[in-house]
Amino acid sequence: MTDPHHPTDRHGSGRHVVFVTWKAGNAPAFEAAKRLGHHVTLIRSLLMEQAQNVDFDASPYARFVDRVHVLKDATDPDALLACVRAVHRDRPVDGFVATVDALVVPVARIAEELGVPFTDAAAAAAAKQKDRCRRILAEAGVDRTRHAVVGGVAEAAAFAAATGYPVVVKPARGSGSEGAHVIADERHLADVLGRAGEGVYAAGILVEEYLAGRFLSAEIGLARGRFLRLAVSERSTWHRHEALETGTTIPAGITADEHDRVMEFAEAVVGALGLRLGIFHVEIMLGADGTPRLIEVNPRLMGSCLPNLFRLAGGGDIFELLVRIHLDEPVERGPSAFTHYAIVRWFGAADTVPKPDRVPDLDWAAAEYGDSLHALTVRFPDGDTLVPCRGNLGNFGEVQVVHADRATSIRIAEDIVRGMAGRLGFEVTG
């Protein structure tokens, strides 16, 4: 339904950009679209907003949206299709933007029906189905990481016996590191899969060979057949649960040769899948021998606060670029020239603990680290207990740091996470 209370419900000049759902970290894209002179429509999803604890009306970016439509659940394909068709009838859509994993494929299919430029639907679906993605890349000679979809412990153990431990177990389709485990031995394998119900493994259990090296991601655009090399980011993981990502540094501390190798590999991955148009987040393991190997490819913009980190590091406004690409405009852009290292560290409870009565004082970090600290937030979930954080959705804290020196930026972020753990009185995952 259309939101009758939205104060900026109006037609404007320019082209028509439709955003399908939103997150706090990606809301600045509304402002970018308005700055470019476009009419902005947002299709909200109430269930998604409740799960993320975000309030559109309280967002400072709400004023850049011209028209709002509200769905209970935007992942309901029939409801989403009916809404988009109505939006398109009222004012033809020139471009879609979808930055949430669950919506990229549905929006791609709708865009193809309407004849609106967007990421290729079949390619996006293949990227999200991890075993299918690996088969396509193997057939193209891009990446031959050994993998199998298994029915349970016996099949997984047989795969591990052939490849050797450790192995990686993850949902065949999923995101946010939920359900991902690095498995050390057969006993660990039986424990993890013995507790695995349908849940995150509903699309299948994928077991893969373990990849060692430096965990990186390539942020890469594709506009009118031309690749745009935006950034190579450096990822960190938690020592007690290696599948849990705890942070990102933009740009990565790698050599120019390593940077080019990673970007060439990411281009080959995107090209083999045929993703066609968009900004993509390609997670890569760079081996000690310099060989890049695919962890996973996400057919959407990097998530969370990473677009803002990209800007803070000196990369520019990635949201303006995102809108222009999805409007299928010609884009001329050279490689990013970063001036700083921007870093985020996320943290949650390492083990089950009672939830603190209140958020500890956060002012100490700014007093100690000054302008290097960009943001520090702590927001506890509902309930009386903090459960162990084993996926991105389990984080309750985030720190963002910006500094001209890479080592200093990382040290400050890690010091602040340790300081927060001390004030909370329990171990955290950062």
Side-chain angles (χ1 to χ4, degrees):
M1 64 177 179
T2 301
D3 183 351
H5 303 296
H6 196 266
T8 56
D9 184 5
R10 63 189 185 275
H11 281 326
S13 59
R15 304 178 75 191
H16 186 194
V17 184
V18 175
F19 291 84
V20 182
T21 74
W22 73 291
K23 290 183 175 181
N26 291 334
F30 306 152
E31 187 274 334
K34 288 307 295 180
R35 186 178 352 112
L36 291 168
H38 302 310
H39 182 88
V40 177
T41 293
L42 170 65
I43 298 175
R44 295 173 56 189
S45 178
L46 294 182
L47 288 180
M48 198 170 289
E49 292 175 16
Q50 290 165 6
Q52 298 169 20
N53 194 25
V54 293
D55 180 357
F56 176 72
D57 292 322
S59 169
Y61 297 97
R63 63 192 179 94
F64 299 108
V65 178
D66 298 294
R67 187 97 174 169
V68 177
H69 297 263
V70 182
L71 297 179
K72 180 179 180 182
D73 181 7
T75 64
D76 178 336
D78 294 333
L80 179 61
L81 178 58
C83 181
V84 172
R85 282 175 172 168
V87 168
H88 190 60
R89 281 194 302 269
D90 181 56
R91 179 171 182 145
V93 177
D94 295 299
F96 289 102
V97 178
T99 56
V100 176
D101 278 318
L103 274 303
V104 173
V105 174
V107 171
R109 289 171 176 155
I110 293 171
E112 287 185 359
E113 176 188 310
L114 300 180
V116 176
F118 195 72
T119 304
D120 183 83
K128 295 308 298 176
Q129 187 69 32
K130 295 180 175 66
D131 55 312
R132 194 189 317 167
C133 177
R134 290 215 177 274
R135 284 199 303 272
I136 291 170
L137 297 183
E139 290 167 1
V142 174
D143 186 282
R144 290 190 170 87
T145 299
R146 290 172 290 179
H147 66 282
V149 175
V150 301
V153 177
E155 292 179 27
F159 176 91
T163 60
Y165 287 97
V167 294
V168 177
V169 168
K170 62 176 71 169
R173 181 182 175 88
S175 60
S177 301
E178 299 294 329
H181 298 267
V182 175
I183 304 295
D185 51 39
E186 190 165 351
R187 185 173 181 177
H188 187 194
L189 182 67
D191 178 57
V192 168
L193 294 187
R195 292 183 282 107
E198 277 282 307
V200 293
Y201 298 108
I205 301 169
L206 181 65
V207 58
E208 301 176 341
E209 68 172 294
Y210 176 80
L211 303 178
R214 296 191 68 178
F215 183 13
L216 307 169
S217 64
E219 320 305 337
I220 187 167
L222 180 56
R224 296 194 170 186
R226 178 172 176 261
F227 283 110
L228 307 172
R229 296 183 174 185
L230 303 178
V232 176
S233 306
E234 191 172 0
R235 323 284 285 187
S236 63
T237 58
W238 188 40
H239 68 282
R240 281 181 52 186
H241 184 67
E242 193 178 341
L244 177 65
E245 298 176 33
T246 56
T248 297
T249 302
I250 301 178
I254 56 177
T255 67
D257 179 63
E258 289 170 332
H259 177 277
D260 288 345
R261 241 176 293 143
V262 167
M263 283 298 190
E264 288 167 7
F265 177 75
E267 290 171 1
V269 168
V270 170
L273 288 169
L275 286 168
R276 187 171 64 196
L277 175 155
I279 297 180
F280 310 115
H281 176 70
V282 187
E283 297 187 356
I284 293 165
M285 190 67 73
L286 183 63
D289 64 352
T291 301
R293 304 281 294 279
L294 182 73
I295 298 176
E296 66 179 32
V297 53
N298 294 280
R300 44 99 179 137
L301 180 72
M302 54 185 164
S304 185
C305 64
L306 301 190
N308 188 49
L309 290 188
F310 179 85
R311 179 186 62 81
L312 292 170
D317 186 346
I318 202 168
F319 291 119
E320 181 173 314
L321 182 64
L322 179 72
V323 171
R324 294 185 62 201
I325 287 174
H326 280 281
L327 285 170
D328 200 26
E329 295 180 356
V331 177
E332 295 297 327
R333 177 193 167 97
S336 302
F338 296 104
T339 58
H340 288 72
Y341 290 89
I343 182 169
V344 62
R345 283 290 185 268
W346 301 292
F347 53 94
D351 304 292
T352 301
V353 293
K355 186 175 78 175
D357 295 333
R358 58 181 179 81
V359 173
D361 171 61
L362 305 179
D363 292 339
W364 65 274
E368 187 165 347
Y369 297 105
D371 292 341
S372 295
L373 175 63
H374 178 72
L376 173 59
T377 57
V378 173
R379 180 181 295 172
F380 297 127
D382 293 335
D384 299 324
T385 303
L386 297 178
V387 299
C389 176
R390 297 296 182 267
N392 295 354
L393 300 179
N395 295 312
F396 61 72
E398 175 182 294
V399 57
Q400 298 176 34
V401 171
V402 184
H403 198 280
D405 178 71
R406 172 180 171 271
T408 301
S409 185
I410 293 172
R411 177 184 58 77
I412 291 173
E414 293 179 347
D415 284 352
I416 292 172
V417 172
R418 280 191 293 269
M420 287 306 307
R423 285 162 174 80
L424 289 165
F426 54 81
E427 183 183 0
V428 300
T429 56

